[in-house]
Amino acid sequence: MKLTDLNSHGGIGSNSLLMEMGPFRFVVDAGLHPKLAGKEAMPDFDRVAVDSLDFIILTHCHLDHLGSLPVLSREQPDAPVFLSRPSQSLAKRMMMNSINVMKRQRGELNLPEYPLYSRNDVKRLTDRFRPIGFRKAHYFEKDGEQLEIAFQPAGHVAGAVSCRITRDNGESVFFSGDLLFNEQRTLKGAKPEPEGVDVLVLETTRGATPRKEGITRESEIERLLDEIRKPIDKGGSCLIPVFALGRMQEMLVILDQARKDGRLPQCPVFCSGLGMSIVDFYHEISKFSSQLNFDRKVLRSLGVLPLPNHMEPGRQPGINGIYLVSSGMVVNHTPSYRVAASLLGDDRNSILFVGYCDPDTPGGKLLEKRNGEEFLFEAIDYVTQIKARIRQFDMSGHADRNELLELANRASPRTIVLHHGDPEAREWFAEELSQASYQPEIIDPVPGKTYEF
Ligand SMILES: [Zn+2]
Ligand SMILES: [Zn+2]
């Protein structure tokens, strides 16, 4: 078996792995780096000869896994793309949105190569989608040999899968994908079965984050609801920056239940953008997926309003309320960026982060600052003193490191490939796994290098 990490920059970037198992060649995921732009953000597809793949696997629809799939697929016109049915529903919407963002960035960032793909590329790609259900493995044949491809639910977001691939000589590999064991309000937790596998490709996102004693997802939700009430009681507003796929829908359900329990004050809730169309997709997917439980009635029940057109930096919004908008990391020019610029300079307001923020993004930079310090909104050339209350809550979409360690120990593979994590996160796993009784070979792949095991 051979593996090449095509993610040129390492870390959590443009996820993409080239695999070779006997006569079979395939790629798992084709993402775009969330922090980079242009060709820099792409995986190194030069290492994959045109028309050389037998198939492609998509684990889920976050852009760090999906964002460059139309480019890869354009060069691999005969390769079917295996994915879950919910991912089949979501992928097109996510990619179309990505095209719009790239078109806007073309001028802003002077990137003539943008957009990296067209609507027609997306159309041709979706024609190659071959959905696989959770209960039934798919068999792929070539040169008289056979591969079994089996998906298992991975929690995380709707449609996310772990994938187990077995060759007919018994050789096997398990890709964890992005994984969450915890039950969410909208989505069941993962129950992966990696037992007896030869090679485990393990996500390591939270390797540098110790589990905090006494803190659970539910206790964090309680703390969040307490913090939401504070600005509303003071006559201010509250910004909750969220990822459009998954987190916005989860937060809508949390807010709706809290309001029904009398735990959330009566106030307007504003939502906008891609997350709102994902609401419709989640509603439809719930009808056929036993993993997902979501009804768009939640919008009416909460009285959700569209984001006001005019929000000005340093000026309190016309109507105070809860602003549940993307992006989760308050990236330049997104609705959460605009709302943050409006709210940050007033001590009646709060900004409450419910997910991970990369330290290089505006959200990450804001989290490192203290109250009273100045903050620069670079993209709009606006500086303000930080007066709003800023808090972060641990409601990660990823399994904690001890759970992943337990998963690895349960699998007891001969080789473990560390994946989807920053260097410190991978280091922690390498150290812990080196002490395992089954003595696995541990590979932290150098981008572009081919490993044989
Ligand atoms: Zn993800
Ligand atoms: Zn990811």
Side-chain angles (χ1 to χ4, degrees), residues 12 15 60 62 64-65 156 178 205 398 420:
I12 305 173
N15 294 290
H60 67 289
H62 278 147
D64 59 320
H65 301 259
H156 189 58
D178 289 6
T205 316
H398 293 267
H420 201 282

Side-chain angles (χ1 to χ4, degrees), residues 8 10-11 93 110 123 223 231 357 383 396 411:
S8 335
R93 182 68 187 84
N110 189 23
K123 164 80 179 64
R223 191 165 71 87
C357 273
V383 183
S396 175

Side-chain angles (χ1 to χ4, degrees), residues 114 194 266 274 351 405 415 417:
Y114 267 7
Q266 288 298 329
L274 176 62
I351 301 180
L405 210 54
T415 303
V417 179

Side-chain angles (χ1 to χ4, degrees), residues 313-315 340-342 344-345 375-385:
R315 292 194 54 179
S342 158
L344 192 61
F375 187 81
L376 167 65
F377 288 86
E378 242 175 87
I380 52 172
D381 201 21
Y382 165 67
V383 183
T384 184
Q385 211 187 5

